[in-house]
């Protein structure tokens, strides 16, 4: 669908407003004078800016194909610093006597490079990891080098899991086993005494407080994991009886991954801190209170309590936690605990950008109807044509209602063989011209009839992107998560088309058809006309949390290429790492195909074709080379 040209000249300021980039990007991204999206950060020498298009040119020069997941390590470093420094400021401002320790939940992004960088950048703050399985615990142990950093052991724990943590404790790691169900206590007691290790343990509680949003089912009375308050009291009695109450050091809860409303956070903190003081009163040494995840990312930039946003700043989040904890523990004259949070989404979301090229476009631009209908057409087709001829601003609602009725009747006639294919095509073209005219004439109306609202969506273009929703953006399909999406260049000119974006899977759900908007969501995205052979690049931002972990092999489209850059204070940057995406052979092996068998089968087929004189020996060689190239090739579309 064509967007109307504004009276005044287009500018990068208008693009910044159109895509809301300065509100959702947390200052990390903007648009330069050339109309290209840039990454930026402020140093003592000034503002450093790097064009994503320059990075794209560098990627192409290195022979890598798109799509590419771009990681900017500076952002990861900055987010870790922002979180810790914000807590540090709040602690100082309120005179809090305890400390803050951050831990990264490995489930949010389990890639080795991500854990390596979190460990490196977080070392100055003693930033640790949260592990919910044996595999995640081993990953944490491999990359934690700081003895003061915490390893919070959540999830279902068998003897092997517990033994790993106990041996890690012997080696000097600071592991805390969080009891999430009553039966775990007996197993921890048994293994600890067998291995002669006195562990630190915590208890996860079910709070009555529950937040709103997409990711909050892990909180509330009906949460899957955690102990009810009667079960907590039973645990305390058991530990007292076993002489192990001194092991109880941490209280933990989790009410959601993305909590948009600060009031929900305060309510949960207050309730949990009351439980914490109760445990101290019972004689447990405690010392740590883990408020779990929940620090939200403002995906749409609206700064509201909408599920894809948040109505608070990071500084407000930290201050509210510190103030609430202080108000409760001071009332009971209890020592200020070390505060722990498991902010995973906030740490890694901004760090990754999915970049893909547009392969093609389909436009719903109907050809103009003939000035006169052919002789012998059906009366319904004549009525539809008259509706088109008489359409005006005054009868838009009536016209669209009539057009839909006539179109549906004509389709029924066609199904029963009462009109020809050519007449059906003529009627469809007339109908879409009516829809196009109604959309055009309704623009600027103060009050748009309900029947006409959203009609532009039916006329929107389909831009085909070289990526898979199911592999790279699974939350858009699974839970209708909305990420910021925008073109990465040509932003000094007006985007003249309204479109949805389809991926290259053969699935009707493989599309992006909901986009961020300060007032909610919109159903189309403004994009530019494609220009000949020139590549057109689109970026999906804030995809560092969960997307890589949850991605699947729909249509056997595998992991994308991954490039990580580090930007220096002089504005230069280097490619820290280049990780090749999955080949066709890789993804076939993931689903248990025997690649050797496939090669052998093709050789046999080719040799049989030679023996039957259907191909030459030279053709056999070309065919087998094509097979090898196909197996070694990228699973996504590659241009010659």
């Amino acid at each position: 669908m064509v967007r109307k040209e504004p009276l005044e000249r287009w500018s990068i300021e208008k693009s910044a407003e159109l895509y809301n980039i300065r509100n959702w990007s947390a200052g990390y991204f903007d648009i330069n004078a050339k109309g290209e999206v840039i990454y930026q950060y402020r140093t003592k020498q000034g503002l450093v800016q790097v064009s994503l298009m320059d990075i794209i040119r560098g990627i192409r020069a290195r022979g890598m194909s798109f799509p590419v997941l771009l990681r900017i390590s500076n952002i990861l470093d900055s987010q870790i610093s922002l979180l810790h420094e914000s807590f540090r400021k709040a602690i100082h401002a309120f005179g809090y006597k305890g400390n803050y320790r951050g831990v990264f939940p490995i489930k949010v992004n389990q890639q080795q490079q991500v854990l390596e960088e979190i460990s490196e950048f977080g070392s100055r703050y003693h930033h640790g990891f949260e592990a919910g399985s044996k595999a995640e615990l081993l990953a944490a142990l491999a990359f934690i080098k700081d003895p003061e950093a915490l390893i919070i052991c959540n999830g279902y724990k068998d003897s092997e899991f517990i033994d790993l943590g106990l041996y890690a404790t012997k080696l000097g790691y600071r592991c805390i086993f969080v009891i999430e169900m009553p039966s775990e206590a007996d197993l921890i007691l048994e293994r600890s005494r067998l291995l002669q290790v006195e562990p630190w343990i915590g208890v996860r509680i079910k709070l009555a407080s529950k937040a709103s949003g997409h990711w909050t089912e892990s909180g509330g009375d009906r949460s899957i994991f955690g102990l009810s308050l009667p079960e907590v009291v039973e645990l305390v009695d058991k530990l007292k009886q076993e002489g192990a109450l001194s092991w109880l050091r941490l209280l933990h809860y989790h009410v959601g991954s993305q909590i948009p409303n600060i009031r929900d956070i305060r309510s949960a903190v207050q309730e949990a801190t009351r439980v914490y003081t109760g445990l101290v009163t019972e004689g447990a040494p405690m010392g740590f209170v883990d408020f779990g995840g929940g620090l939200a990312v403002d995906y749409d930039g609206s700064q509201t309590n909408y599920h894809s946003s948040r109505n608070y700043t990071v500084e407000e989040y930290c201050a509210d936690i510190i103030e609430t904890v202080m108000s409760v523990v001071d009332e009971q004259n209890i020592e200020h605990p070390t505060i722990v949070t498991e902010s995973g989404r906030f740490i890694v979301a901004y760090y990754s950008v999915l970049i893909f090229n547009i392969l093609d476009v389909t436009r719903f631009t109907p050809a103009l109807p003939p000035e006169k209908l052919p002789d012998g057409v059906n009366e319904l087709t004549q009525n539809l044509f008259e509706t088109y001829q008489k359409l005006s601003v005054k009868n838009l609602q009536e016209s669209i209602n009539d057009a839909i009725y006539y179109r549906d009747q004509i389709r029924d006639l066609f199904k029963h063989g009462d009109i020809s294919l050519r007449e059906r095509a003529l009627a469809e073209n007339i109908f879409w011209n009516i829809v196009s005219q109604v959309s055009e004439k309704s623009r600027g109306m103060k009050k748009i009839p309900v029947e006409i609202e959203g009609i532009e969506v039916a006329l929107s273009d389909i831009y085909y992107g070289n990526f898979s929703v199911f592999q790279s953006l699974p939350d858009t399909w699974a839970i209708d998560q909305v990420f910021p999406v925008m073109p990465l260049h040509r932003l000094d000119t007006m985007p003249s088309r309204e479109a949805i974006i389809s991926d290259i899977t053969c699935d009707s759900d493989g599309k992006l058809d909901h986009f961020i908007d300060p007032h909610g969501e919109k159903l189309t995205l403004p994009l530019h006309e494609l220009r000949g052979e020139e590549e057109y690049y689109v970026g999906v931002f804030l995809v560092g949390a969960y997307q890589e972990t949850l991605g699947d092999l729909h249509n056997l489209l595998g992991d994308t290429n991954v490039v990580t850059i580090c930007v220096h204070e002089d504005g230069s940057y280097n490619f820290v790492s280049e990780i090749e995406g999955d080949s066709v052979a890789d993804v076939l092996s993931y689903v248990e195909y025997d690649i050797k068998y496939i090669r052998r089968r093709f050789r046999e087929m080719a040799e049989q074709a030679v023996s039957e004189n259907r191909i030459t020996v030279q053709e056999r060689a070309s065919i087998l080379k094509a097979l090898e190239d196909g197996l070694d090739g990228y699973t996504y579309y590659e241009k010659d």
Side-chain angles (χ1 to χ4, degrees), residues 516-536:
I516 66 164
D517 186 84
H519 308 294
E521 294 179 7
K522 55 187 178 183
L523 302 179
T524 60
L525 180 72
L527 293 172
H528 300 85
E529 291 266 11
L530 300 188
R531 297 194 297 209
E533 295 299 312
E534 179 185 333
E535 293 280 22
Y536 187 61

Side-chain angles (χ1 to χ4, degrees), residues 343-380:
S343 300
R345 186 183 299 273
F346 173 81
I347 293 293
V348 296
Y350 294 93
Y351 166 53
S352 300
V353 183
L354 177 68
I355 299 174
F356 58 86
N357 52 317
I358 296 297
L359 302 175
D360 205 350
V361 60
T362 294
R363 293 194 180 124
F364 288 94
T365 306
L368 289 175
E371 294 185 4
K372 181 181 177 182
L373 292 179
D375 294 336
V377 297
N378 188 277
E379 181 181 357
L380 289 167

Side-chain angles (χ1 to χ4, degrees), residues 109-354:
N109 193 320
Q110 299 148 335
Q111 306 301 313
Q112 176 176 329
Q113 182 196 22
V114 176
L115 299 192
E116 287 176 330
E117 293 195 329
I118 289 174
S119 180
E120 176 188 350
F121 299 143
S123 60
R124 64 188 183 275
Y125 297 113
H126 311 298
H127 203 91
F129 289 114
E130 180 266 336
S133 67
K134 285 178 280 190
E136 290 187 350
L137 176 55
L138 286 170
L141 296 175
F143 296 110
I144 285 285
K145 300 174 183 177
D146 175 15
E148 291 192 48
L150 300 177
I151 300 178
I152 305 294
C153 297
N154 286 326
Y156 199 92
K157 305 168 195 67
D158 59 11
S159 297
E160 195 171 74
F161 190 158
I162 293 167
D163 287 357
L164 282 171
L166 291 173
Y167 283 129
T169 301
K170 280 191 172 186
L171 293 173
Y173 291 95
R174 188 169 288 186
C175 288
I176 302 180
F177 295 102
V178 177
I179 295 173
E180 307 216 31
M181 53 192 67
S183 61
E184 290 181 339
D186 289 330
L187 191 57
I188 292 172
L189 286 165
E190 175 191 330
R191 303 309 300 176
S192 298
R193 284 173 175 155
L194 183 65
L195 299 181
Q196 298 183 339
V197 179
E198 289 194 3
W200 282 5
I201 64 175
V203 57
R204 176 170 175 171
I205 61 170
K206 295 180 180 180
L207 294 180
S209 302
K210 189 175 179 180
S212 59
H214 267 321
W215 301 273
T216 59
E217 291 305 313
S218 52
D221 290 328
R222 294 293 296 166
S223 58
I224 297 172
F225 289 105
L227 275 62
S228 65
L229 293 188
E231 290 171 331
V232 171
V233 172
E234 289 177 12
L235 173 65
V236 169
D237 291 340
K238 177 185 289 290
L239 293 176
K240 285 180 178 179
Q241 182 179 348
E242 297 288 338
L245 187 60
S246 61
W247 299 358
L248 186 55
R249 305 298 299 268
L250 175 140
L251 178 79
H252 172 61
Y253 74 84
H254 184 72
V255 293
S257 174
Q258 161 107 353
I259 303 176
N261 195 331
I262 191 66
R263 287 186 299 176
D264 294 333
I265 292 171
R266 287 186 65 102
S267 176
V269 169
Q270 184 178 40
E271 183 182 356
T273 309
R274 289 289 179 191
V275 177
Y276 176 89
T277 61
L279 291 173
V280 173
T281 303
E282 287 286 334
M286 302 305 287
F288 297 86
V289 56
D290 183 347
F291 295 114
L295 176 53
V297 168
D298 192 357
Y299 288 98
D300 61 22
S302 64
Q303 300 173 8
T304 65
N305 62 358
Y306 186 60
H307 63 77
S308 290
S309 184
R310 69 179 186 216
N311 64 1
Y312 54 92
T313 65
V314 179
E315 292 78 11
E316 289 169 336
Y317 170 83
C318 298
D320 277 18
I321 288 178
I322 295 295
E323 182 183 23
T324 304
V325 172
M326 278 187 68
S327 67
V328 175
V329 297
D330 285 351
E331 179 184 309
Q332 301 295 321
N333 197 27
I334 288 173
E335 185 177 344
H336 294 177
T338 293
I339 288 172
V340 180
T341 67
E342 301 176 5
S343 300
R345 186 183 299 273
F346 173 81
I347 293 293
V348 296
Y350 294 93
Y351 166 53
S352 300
V353 183
L354 177 68

Side-chain angles (χ1 to χ4, degrees), residues 6 13 36 85 97 158 172 290 335 368 381 474 517 539 560 611:
E13 294 299 320
E36 298 173 346
E85 292 300 330
K97 301 299 189 297
D158 59 11
D290 183 347
E335 185 177 344
L368 289 175
T381 305
D517 186 84
T560 66
S611 66

Side-chain angles (χ1 to χ4, degrees), residues 450-513:
V450 174
E451 289 83 355
I452 301 174
E453 286 182 356
I455 197 171
E456 69 278 359
V457 177
L459 298 167
S460 61
D461 299 339
I462 302 175
Y463 277 55
Y464 295 91
N466 189 16
F467 74 107
S468 164
V469 162
F470 307 96
Q471 175 58 241
S472 297
L473 304 169
D475 275 346
T476 64
W477 165 76
I479 56 173
D480 296 324
Q481 166 68 358
V482 179
F483 296 97
V485 184
M486 66 181 294
L488 300 179
H489 55 138
R490 296 174 58 185
L491 294 164
D492 54 344
T493 61
M494 179 183 174
S496 59
R497 310 298 302 183
E498 292 286 345
I500 65 170
I501 300 177
S502 169
D503 69 5
I504 60 171
T505 68
C506 57
D507 196 303
S508 59
D509 287 332
K511 61 185 176 182
L512 302 177
D513 58 359

